[in-house]
């Protein structure tokens, strides 16, 4: 086999440009194919792949005729279910298709065998030719070697000179398979939603209703990336409430700091949520925000007693400082007598 391959390379180099080079080159190619394909029962699919990679590259610089029967045999051999040399066999078929041309194959058969062999790059060429761009997405997220490139392909379609029908189909496919995109890269998925699919955010949220942890991770990225945006779809109050509710479940310690800087939520609804979740700091902040100082102080005081009861000495001082700051912030609404009473109560509790 190596002797025949060397002879083809030498023939190509020596006779290139000569009027007689084609017949000589063609004879050697035919012999090589006959030996390895028709008589070479002992050659492995990987070795056949090497042969056709070699021929595909020769085809670029030297024209020769390749009988379709050999292409069919090559396809059968390369697309075998043999697990060895998968990448090399796919690359060999890919080079053959790109060099010789897809029209030289039975397209339906090529696609069926490529799908079965998981030759996703070959499938992509056929889907692109058929303008079945949504199916190309499945090629990307099924191909572990190119899975991270799916986002680039989506932007390529959404920002490219494609019809609205094509873009709508891509958007619908992405939304229906949002879980796959999140699994690939959560942050890139959030960015994609903000840039291209913001109008579908509500639909995506309800699709992930039975996957709360996944939904929370996605919304974390969406709200972090979208800070300052004026997009009404992202600033949907109901979605914001869902996000805060999930935060209270998975990261309750983040709720109070978040409420202090966030906007676009309804205090009454979130206050009820915080009370149910026993988030006293957050509820106290909301009570104070709406002017219910007595209720706010009671909760701060409850937090202080809880830290003392649980012997969380590190947080006792922190909670006392919060209460002092609370009294100072609202000094114009509290009588001197009430301020002294509250501070004395706190001191006595810690004594």
């Amino acid at each position: 086999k190596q002797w025949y391959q060397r002879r083809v390379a030498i023939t190509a180099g020596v006779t290139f440009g000569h009027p007689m080079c084609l017949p000589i080159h063609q004879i050697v190619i035919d012999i090589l194919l006959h030996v390895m394909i028709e008589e070479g029962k002992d050659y492995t699919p990987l070795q056949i792949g090497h042969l056709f990679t070699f021929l595909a590259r020769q085809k670029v610089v030297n024209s020769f005729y390749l009988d379709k029967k050999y292409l069919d045999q090559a396809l059968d051999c390369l697309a075998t279910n043999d697990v060895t040399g998968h990448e090399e066999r796919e690359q060999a078929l890919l080079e053959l298709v790109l060099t010789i041309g897809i029209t030289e194959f039975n397209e339906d058969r090529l696609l069926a065998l490529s799908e079965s062999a998981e030759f996703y790059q070959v499938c992509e060429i056929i889907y692109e030719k058929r303008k079945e761009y949504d199916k190309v997405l499945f090629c990307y997220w099924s191909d572990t070697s190119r899975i991270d490139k799916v986002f680039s392909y989506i932007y390529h379609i959404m920002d490219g000179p494609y019809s609205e029908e094509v873009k709508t189909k891509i958007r619908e496919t992405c939304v229906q398979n949002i879980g796959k995109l999140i699994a690939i890269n959560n942050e890139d998925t959030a960015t994609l939603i903000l840039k291209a699919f913001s109008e579908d955010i509500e639909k995506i949220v309800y699709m992930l209703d039975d996957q709360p942890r996944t939904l929370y991770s996605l919304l974390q990225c969406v709200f972090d990336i979208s800070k300052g945006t004026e997009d009404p779809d992202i600033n949907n109050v109901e979605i914001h409430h869902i996000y805060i509710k999930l935060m209270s479940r998975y990261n309750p310690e983040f709720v109070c700091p978040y409420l202090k800087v966030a906007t676009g939520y309804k205090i009454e609804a979130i206050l009820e949520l915080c009370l149910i979740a026993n988030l006293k700091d957050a509820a106290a902040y909301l009570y104070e925000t709406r002017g219910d100082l007595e209720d706010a102080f009671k909760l701060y005081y409850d937090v202080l007693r809880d830290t003392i009861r649980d012997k969380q000495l590190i947080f006792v001082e922190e909670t006392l400082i919060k209460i002092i700051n609370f009294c100072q912030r609202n000094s114009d609404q509290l009588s001197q007598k009430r301020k002294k009473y509250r501070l004395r109560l706190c001191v006595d509790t810690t004594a």
Side-chain angles (χ1 to χ4, degrees), residues 160-215:
Y162 296 90
S163 68
E164 284 305 312
E165 182 181 356
V166 167
K167 293 180 180 181
T168 298
K169 185 67 174 176
I170 288 291
R171 190 180 76 247
E172 290 174 349
T173 301
C174 288
V175 170
Q176 289 298 321
N177 293 274
I178 198 68
K180 287 188 175 70
L181 294 174
I182 293 171
I184 295 168
N185 191 303
N186 190 35
E187 188 172 338
D188 284 348
T189 303
T191 302
L192 176 66
I193 290 171
L194 289 169
K195 288 184 176 181
F197 306 145
S198 62
E199 63 195 74
D200 295 303
I201 182 74
E202 192 170 348
K203 182 177 180 180
I204 290 169
V205 166
Y206 288 108
M207 280 181 60
L208 295 173
D209 184 59
D210 61 344
Q211 303 173 58
R213 185 80 208 193
T214 299
L215 176 57

Side-chain angles (χ1 to χ4, degrees), residues 267-327:
I267 291 179
E268 292 298 327
I270 301 303
L271 176 58
E272 182 180 356
L273 186 157
C274 291
L275 290 172
I276 292 172
N278 200 34
L279 301 179
K280 294 179 180 178
D281 265 351
Y285 166 75
L286 294 174
Y287 272 132
E288 183 182 352
T289 299
R290 74 176 192 179
D292 294 339
L293 301 184
E294 288 296 329
D295 288 329
F297 176 77
K298 287 177 183 177
L299 284 175
Y300 281 129
Y301 183 61
D302 281 348
V303 172
L304 178 62
R305 287 193 303 179
D306 290 343
T307 56
I308 294 171
R309 183 197 63 210
D310 297 336
K311 297 182 180 180
Q312 297 175 310
L313 301 182
I314 297 176
F315 300 107
V316 171
E317 183 179 354
E318 180 183 314
T319 306
L320 277 172
I321 291 172
K322 285 182 181 179
I323 293 173
I324 292 169
N325 290 337
F326 166 78
C327 291

Side-chain angles (χ1 to χ4, degrees), residues 2-256:
Q2 291 176 350
W3 181 86
Y4 275 114
Q5 289 181 339
R6 283 198 300 271
R7 292 302 300 162
V8 173
I10 292 169
T11 303
V14 172
T15 62
F16 181 74
H18 192 279
M20 295 298 292
C21 71
L22 179 57
I24 297 172
H25 196 80
Q26 185 69 59
I27 290 170
V28 177
I29 293 291
D30 289 342
I31 292 172
L32 184 56
L33 287 168
H34 180 78
V35 170
M36 290 192 68
I37 301 298
E38 294 190 6
E39 295 183 355
K41 294 180 181 180
D42 295 330
Y43 289 101
T44 67
L46 184 56
Q47 289 172 323
I48 299 298
H50 291 158
L51 167 65
F52 279 95
T53 298
F54 174 79
L55 292 181
R57 291 171 183 173
Q58 287 295 316
K59 187 77 170 173
V60 175
V61 293
N62 292 286
S63 178
F64 59 85
Y65 173 71
L66 190 58
D67 195 313
K68 284 192 176 183
K69 72 176 182 179
Y70 291 127
L71 289 179
D72 288 338
Q73 289 174 312
L75 177 57
D76 287 333
C77 191
L78 294 173
T80 178
N81 289 325
D82 188 351
V83 296
T84 60
H86 179 275
E87 185 177 341
E88 292 87 348
R89 288 186 287 110
E90 179 180 17
Q91 192 59 38
L93 183 57
L94 182 64
E95 288 198 40
L96 204 56
V97 169
L98 291 173
T99 305
I100 294 176
I102 199 170
T103 55
E104 294 298 312
F105 292 86
N106 179 317
E107 190 176 293
D108 291 335
R109 185 168 183 271
L110 175 62
L111 178 59
L113 289 174
S114 296
E115 287 177 336
S116 176
E118 298 181 353
F119 288 170
Y120 296 114
Q121 293 184 67
V122 178
C123 293
E124 180 183 351
I125 293 173
I126 300 171
Y127 290 142
E128 285 269 5
K129 178 177 177 291
R130 295 180 175 186
K131 299 183 178 181
E132 296 176 335
Y133 303 106
D134 56 306
K135 292 184 179 180
V136 175
L137 294 179
F138 289 89
C139 292
Y140 277 99
W141 58 52
S142 299
D143 188 345
T144 55
S145 67
R146 302 189 304 151
I147 195 169
D148 58 324
K149 293 181 173 61
V150 66
F151 295 100
S152 296
Y153 184 79
I154 294 169
Y155 287 123
H156 166 72
I157 297 293
M158 298 305 294
D159 297 335
Y162 296 90
S163 68
E164 284 305 312
E165 182 181 356
V166 167
K167 293 180 180 181
T168 298
K169 185 67 174 176
I170 288 291
R171 190 180 76 247
E172 290 174 349
T173 301
C174 288
V175 170
Q176 289 298 321
N177 293 274
I178 198 68
K180 287 188 175 70
L181 294 174
I182 293 171
I184 295 168
N185 191 303
N186 190 35
E187 188 172 338
D188 284 348
T189 303
T191 302
L192 176 66
I193 290 171
L194 289 169
K195 288 184 176 181
F197 306 145
S198 62
E199 63 195 74
D200 295 303
I201 182 74
E202 192 170 348
K203 182 177 180 180
I204 290 169
V205 166
Y206 288 108
M207 280 181 60
L208 295 173
D209 184 59
D210 61 344
Q211 303 173 58
R213 185 80 208 193
T214 299
L215 176 57
Y216 175 56
S217 297
L218 177 65
L219 289 178
Q220 265 188 312
C221 289
V222 167
F223 281 102
D224 283 347
I225 297 169
S226 67
K227 285 176 183 175
T229 182
E230 303 262 331
D231 192 325
D233 294 308
I234 302 303
N235 292 324
N236 181 302
V237 173
E238 187 175 355
I239 292 174
H240 204 171
H241 288 185
I242 290 172
Y243 173 49
I244 297 171
K245 183 176 181 179
L246 290 169
M247 186 187 297
S248 72
R249 177 177 176 180
Y250 294 110
N251 291 118
E253 71 279 9
F254 293 171
V255 174
C256 189

